[in-house]
Amino acid sequence: MADARGISRRHMGLGAVALGGGLAFASLPADPAAAAAPTRGDGRPALRHGSAREAGLLPGPLKQLVADAEAFLQPSPRHPWYAGAVLLAGRGRTVALHKPIGMAVRYQAYDEETDTGVEFPPDRQIPTAEDTVFDLASVSKLFTSILAVQQIERGRIELEAPVASYLPDFGRAGKQDVTIRHLLTHTSGFRAWIPLYTAPTYEEKVQRVYDEALAGPPGTAYLYSDLNLISLQLVLEHVTGRRLDVLLREEITEPLGMRRTRYNPPASWKPKIAATEDARRPWSGLDRGLVWGEVHDENAYSLGGVAGHAGVFSDAWDLAVLARTLLDGGVCGRKRILRPESVELMFTDFNTAFPGDEHGLGFELYQHWYMGAMATPRTAGHTGFTGTALVLDPTTDSFLVVLGNSVHPVRSWRSGSAPRVAAANQLARAVPVRPARGRTAWFSGMASAATATLALPALDTSSGVARLSCALWWDTEPKADVLVLESSADGGTTWEPVPFTTRRPGGTAEAHPTGTATGWSGRVWHDLTAELPAAPGLVVRWRYTTDRLYVGRGAYVDGLRVEKGRRRLFDEARPADAARLRAEGWSRETG
């Protein structure tokens, strides 16, 4: 099912390009039972449970992550966002949080007249567990995409080849120029969705895809569509001679030891599977009653449960194994499923022509609407309509899995992506930022719809050139959340921006003529200098302002100093001067 898209998307540069059907790779920087844990080449587990400290994470935000998630088990605002969820967060090879909350199975039906859920008797309700299996919905698209990139590696598919060169019937209705890349990046021109389940046979469903006309010319717009991945499924099955479920098992889940990931789980799994929706018209396309142990998506169900866009079931640990494999360049233990340069294609934006809709091959990139403060130009992930999400951040080597049954008992109970954003914000917050120069640094906080200020005391800059210097670290939602350096010569009645220059380690100087910083700065400390206006009582401050939607990781300031010639007007390193700083919303943090 086509997932609801978010509001805020941002732009990044292309790091890998496709040329004439070939690939030009850019050089880019890059516990279940122990017996069941995949191992590295040296025999040690590829993943293990451990403490936040062992993962290099702060424990406080991880505790808050759980508290935030549990709040969505209550009306938010009118109904619970999900009946239950499993949360998993880790960094490096350590899973520091693996927490089930709420119920995997709670409701037997939905009463539309009273807009309430009809609960199972207490003895038939099932709480979530660490190994509860969820219908991943559109997160399934990632598996199809990985399988496609494998075939690109092996030369059976070319990225820039027309889909019709593999499936001649696909070229009908003006689709002859749609390429494999268009399918993987949702730029084919397909509309979002069509009701394939109304066609009586599998063959007729496929013919509907072949007969579907485009909403616009290929490559001219981004339009998220399930039809892209269904089409890619047909290509994969044609070039390999194997069904998609067989490909998934043989090429991904068996090599990685993902034992609880598959299409069409057997009946014996049902007690460990989270239930989804009481599927009935008019909110569902099919009258099926409580969907539990079968795929929720109507089109995937009508395709026999095996589809390129939906249908995969999995648990949190298996998805963590997949995340770790991709963050490690496609290898898990002695098993490699992708070459490192192929993985780079998934973390590299191919949609530079469509700012806000950044997309690698299969993976969405830099999407604050569900990645929250984890979002960077290389943060990759996907969501699923049933309430699922997977987020991978190569910058911090961290990963997040949120598996919820948010359509249980009915899809209309949830709105937006707030639980995903809240979880991602807390995991991002858990990655410490070490002070640049001392034991602590000033931190702006990460509150939405807020303004935080950090002001120096009034200084006499009236004679000679006064210069401010400090270390600055920022990562904000681009354009929406802004850090401003400003000054006032009239006691704070009016404020004017102060232009400044930053330089990152080993980099060139970057001018900020408007006195502002926003967006992505590499999550490294920058040296900052600024010439201050001349005034007998000049007040200089940092002001950090956020909108009501999403936030980045925030801003840090360290080592504030103001000098005029050889005279030091202010030095944060001097306790008396530091005590004169006025902070509203900013706090000292050790990192």
Side-chain angles (χ1 to χ4, degrees), residues 29-52:
D31 170 38
T39 58
R40 303 168 61 192
D42 56 13
R44 291 183 292 167
L47 277 178
R48 64 182 182 89
H49 283 115
S51 68

Side-chain angles (χ1 to χ4, degrees), residues 292-553:
W292 178 14
E294 294 180 320
V295 62
H296 172 260
D297 181 271
E298 294 96 333
N299 279 342
Y301 175 74
S302 75
L303 290 167
V306 179
H309 71 294
V312 177
F313 287 72
S314 188
D315 70 359
W317 187 266
D318 271 12
L319 289 181
V321 170
L322 180 68
R324 188 67 260 158
T325 299
L326 295 174
L327 289 169
D328 284 341
V331 67
C332 179
R334 298 177 178 86
K335 300 294 185 178
R336 177 172 290 283
I337 64 168
L338 287 171
R339 298 200 303 258
E341 57 268 31
S342 297
V343 176
E344 289 296 337
L345 297 178
M346 297 178 172
F347 292 90
T348 301
D349 184 24
F350 280 79
N351 284 1
T352 55
F354 314 114
D357 293 315
E358 292 84 353
H359 219 286
L361 296 187
F363 280 78
E364 297 171 332
L365 304 173
Y366 207 18
Q367 300 301 311
H368 285 81
W369 70 271
Y370 70 91
M371 297 175 181
M374 288 182 71
T376 78
R378 282 173 54 77
T379 303
H382 216 288
T383 62
F385 186 81
T386 49
T388 57
L390 174 65
V391 181
L392 320 177
D393 179 17
T395 304
T396 60
D397 201 29
S398 58
F399 48 93
L400 172 69
V401 180
V402 177
L403 299 181
N405 53 352
S406 64
V407 297
H408 185 54
V410 69
R411 66 189 70 186
S412 61
W413 275 19
R414 71 98 187 269
S415 62
S417 201
R420 297 162 175 150
V421 172
N425 283 349
Q426 292 300 338
L427 179 54
R429 182 72 178 83
V431 177
V433 175
R434 306 298 180 191
R437 298 174 182 172
R439 302 179 70 177
T440 62
W442 286 101
F443 174 48
S444 66
M446 292 171 53
S448 298
T451 297
T453 59
L454 178 65
L456 279 67
L459 303 172
D460 184 359
T461 61
S462 57
S463 61
V465 176
R467 187 183 301 272
L468 178 143
S469 62
C470 67
L472 181 66
W473 189 109
W474 75 94
D475 174 41
T476 80
E477 186 195 2
K479 299 182 181 178
D481 301 339
V482 180
L483 179 67
V484 182
L485 180 64
E486 55 192 4
S487 66
S488 174
D490 57 12
T493 302
T494 60
W495 295 88
E496 297 293 333
V498 177
F500 59 87
T501 299
T502 58
R503 186 190 300 271
R504 63 185 294 165
T508 58
E510 179 183 356
H512 300 257
T514 61
T516 63
T518 186
W520 169 251
S521 72
R523 293 197 178 181
V524 295
W525 285 98
H526 296 239
D527 291 324
L528 176 145
T529 58
E531 290 191 5
L532 301 180
L538 188 74
V539 178
V540 181
R541 74 178 185 183
W542 285 106
R543 176 171 52 86
Y544 181 53
T545 305
T546 60
D547 70 358
R548 66 180 182 83
L549 291 176
Y550 316 112
V551 295
R553 183 57 177 81

Side-chain angles (χ1 to χ4, degrees), residues 561-576:
R561 180 182 299 174
V562 178
E563 297 173 304
K564 186 166 59 174
R566 295 185 178 181
R567 182 183 170 199
R568 193 163 295 177
L569 302 182
F570 178 89
D571 189 346
E572 188 186 353
R574 299 189 299 224

Side-chain angles (χ1 to χ4, degrees), residues 141-162:
K141 292 179 170 70
L142 299 182
F143 292 95
T144 309
S145 301
I146 291 169
L147 293 169
V149 175
Q150 287 178 334
Q151 297 308 314
I152 292 171
E153 275 190 358
R154 298 168 191 176
R156 290 184 177 144
I157 297 176
E158 292 184 354
L159 190 62
E160 295 300 334

